[in-house]
Amino acid sequence: MPYNCKCKFINRGNMIHSESPIDEGYRLELLKYYLKDSLSGLTANGNPKWQFVCPFCGSITSKEYKKKHRKAALLWNSTQNSWLFSCARKRSAQCDSVMNFSNLISALNPALGEAYRRERWHSGTTGKGHNCRSPQSVIGISTGSYGSIRSSSAPDSSTSL
């Protein structure tokens, strides 16, 4: 199955946002298992968003009734065609700044984050020019003209093909 196809969803402004099938699958998994009490909605500029209790600082508030406030959100960034995580409380080192989707997955579950990066790597959407770094299992592997593993020397020219 090709990974470069795009899933589309439409909001009230008739703007079409493209979400890759990989991102959609992992977003749905995060919403189901890691991000509590999520609600979907739209931002002021018409982009989709999901609001939920912050998984990092939601449980460390001083008052019990504030623990259920949805102060964190996944916001669609139409420039990068990806999701961004933002928390309004910013009471934890993990949620004090905006985080890209790959880093959010890794912060919640490192093994799941590595699987996400590996799947994106297989689809050719990691590394330079993309918003997702290469997975740890393939760092140091090159897809250059000298084979799939980086080498300090070029192939021997006396070898015939």
Side-chain angles (χ1 to χ4, degrees), residues 51-78:
Q51 292 179 294
F52 43 86
V53 176
C54 180
F56 306 111
C57 71
S59 62
I60 59 173
T61 59
S62 58
K63 301 195 178 187
E64 192 62 36
Y65 72 93
K66 289 188 174 185
K67 291 182 181 184
K68 295 181 181 177
H69 288 190
R70 295 179 185 97
K71 294 291 186 177
L74 272 179
L75 306 167
W76 181 254
N77 181 334
S78 55

Side-chain angles (χ1 to χ4, degrees), residues 54-143:
C54 180
F56 306 111
C57 71
S59 62
I60 59 173
T61 59
S62 58
K63 301 195 178 187
E64 192 62 36
Y65 72 93
K66 289 188 174 185
K67 291 182 181 184
K68 295 181 181 177
H69 288 190
R70 295 179 185 97
K71 294 291 186 177
L74 272 179
L75 306 167
W76 181 254
N77 181 334
S78 55
T79 306
Q80 295 181 356
N81 282 334
S82 185
W83 294 99
L84 296 175
F85 168 80
S86 178
C87 176
R89 269 196 200 112
K90 300 184 185 318
R91 294 211 176 155
S92 168
Q94 293 169 312
C95 66
D96 66 351
S97 63
V98 175
M99 193 182 313
N100 71 27
F101 192 58
S102 174
N103 291 342
L104 172 65
I105 297 170
S106 294
L108 293 171
N109 183 334
L112 187 64
E114 184 68 11
Y116 171 74
R117 287 189 300 277
R118 193 175 314 110
E119 199 167 338
R120 289 270 311 260
W121 183 76
H122 283 292
S123 72
T125 58
T126 61
K128 188 175 181 179
H130 298 282
N131 61 1
C132 182
R133 66 179 171 89
S134 297
Q136 290 293 328
S137 58
V138 296
I139 290 180
I141 294 177
S142 171
T143 56

